[in-house]
Amino acid sequence: MPIATINIIEGRSDEQKEKLIEKVTQAIHEAIDAPKQNVRVILNEMPKQHFGIGGESVKKMGR
């Protein structure tokens, strides 16, 4: 049972997250021939102040 864990920054719509789950599942299915019903996708959504680039939080950068 393949499990994909994806870390994303908060702010995406439910529709975008649903599409991401669908596309990642499809990619795993195609790449390793895993049955779609066996693929698990875990999205970890984090606050913007919990992710930094170049010494600043994404929140502070205004992203």
Side-chain angles (χ1 to χ4, degrees):
M1 167 179 24
I3 301 171
T5 303
I6 302 169
N7 297 309
I8 59 173
I9 297 171
E10 67 184 355
R12 288 162 180 92
S13 69
D14 288 343
E15 292 81 17
Q16 289 173 312
K17 290 181 267 189
E18 290 287 342
K19 187 173 184 178
L20 178 58
I21 291 168
E22 176 189 338
K23 297 286 187 178
V24 169
T25 299
Q26 184 65 32
I28 292 171
H29 167 69
E30 291 175 7
I32 63 172
D33 201 28
K36 288 183 183 181
Q37 64 270 17
N38 290 351
V39 177
R40 307 294 188 259
V41 178
I42 301 167
L43 297 181
N44 293 317
E45 225 177 348
M46 68 184 84
K48 292 179 179 184
Q49 64 270 26
H50 291 189
F51 187 82
I53 300 171
E56 292 185 323
S57 73
V58 172
K59 182 176 181 177
K60 186 176 180 182
M61 296 171 74
R63 291 187 173 187

